[in-house]
Amino acid sequence: MSERLQPGDTAPAFTLPDADGKEVSLADHKGRKVIVYFYPAALTPGCTKQACDFTDNLELLAGAGYDVIGISPDKPEKLAKFREKENLEVTLLADPDKKVLDAYGAFGEKMNYGKTYMGVIRSTIVVDEQGKVERALYNVRATGHVAKIIKDLGI
């Protein structure tokens, strides 16, 4: 498990396939602020709620200069199903090797019902126009998280 990111850190560069298999890089968003959020699995209740919340607020976030990217260990085909089923407009990227999840400190030890296991830590990293971490939020809740980000960013 890698270290959690801190404000001021350089956001780790990445290039991952989106739901259509097209490569998307963090560098593609240089000059804009990016909200990169990590979630455990497409088509699950909590992750669906979170992705729908981001989609519902995409216009507001984009208007304030933010792009939104969701990253999970799912394969592009599953992300495409997720996007179609829920009418998602956020960019969804596939990280089946968990290399980016690990680089961002969003993969590690979790506990559920007293059992410890390795998994995706629901996290949100806000990256500024220069590629630096502005905010790093770990172990966030799926419900109400987007509203909290909007409030915290003063949008």
Side-chain angles (χ1 to χ4, degrees):
M1 184 175 103
S2 62
E3 289 292 306
R4 290 185 168 183
L5 297 175
Q6 301 294 325
D9 289 351
T10 298
F14 62 79
T15 301
L16 292 170
D18 69 7
D20 301 314
K22 193 174 109 258
E23 298 279 301
V24 175
S25 299
L26 181 61
D28 299 342
H29 298 269
K30 196 141 182 70
R32 284 188 60 82
K33 293 182 179 203
V34 186
I35 295 171
V36 183
Y37 78 97
F38 298 91
Y39 62 99
L43 300 166
T44 58
C47 298
T48 297
K49 173 85 181 102
Q50 188 177 21
C52 288
D53 276 356
F54 271 118
T55 293
D56 293 346
N57 288 286
L58 203 54
E59 209 172 293
L60 178 70
L61 290 164
Y66 290 89
D67 294 335
V68 179
I69 298 173
I71 299 178
S72 75
D74 298 306
K75 296 204 177 328
E77 303 77 43
K78 187 172 179 190
L79 296 179
K81 277 190 194 119
F82 188 32
R83 181 185 63 198
E84 304 315 316
K85 182 174 188 273
E86 302 298 339
N87 296 315
L88 300 175
E89 293 174 22
V90 293
T91 300
L92 300 174
L93 302 183
D95 185 20
D97 299 336
K98 302 176 187 76
K99 284 186 173 68
V100 177
L101 283 152
D102 198 44
Y104 277 76
F107 188 81
E109 214 170 80
K110 294 174 71 167
M111 188 174 275
N112 202 10
Y113 301 114
K115 295 232 186 310
T116 303
Y117 63 99
M118 296 299 282
V120 176
I121 298 162
R122 193 181 301 277
S123 313
T124 300
I125 310 299
V126 179
V127 181
D128 71 13
E129 300 92 336
Q130 283 75 46
K132 296 271 188 227
V133 174
E134 193 176 296
R135 291 168 192 264
L137 310 162
Y138 293 93
N139 292 311
V140 300
R141 296 209 169 282
T143 306
H145 178 60
V146 176
K148 183 182 179 338
I149 289 173
I150 290 168
K151 183 173 175 268
D152 289 354
L153 293 174
I155 299 172

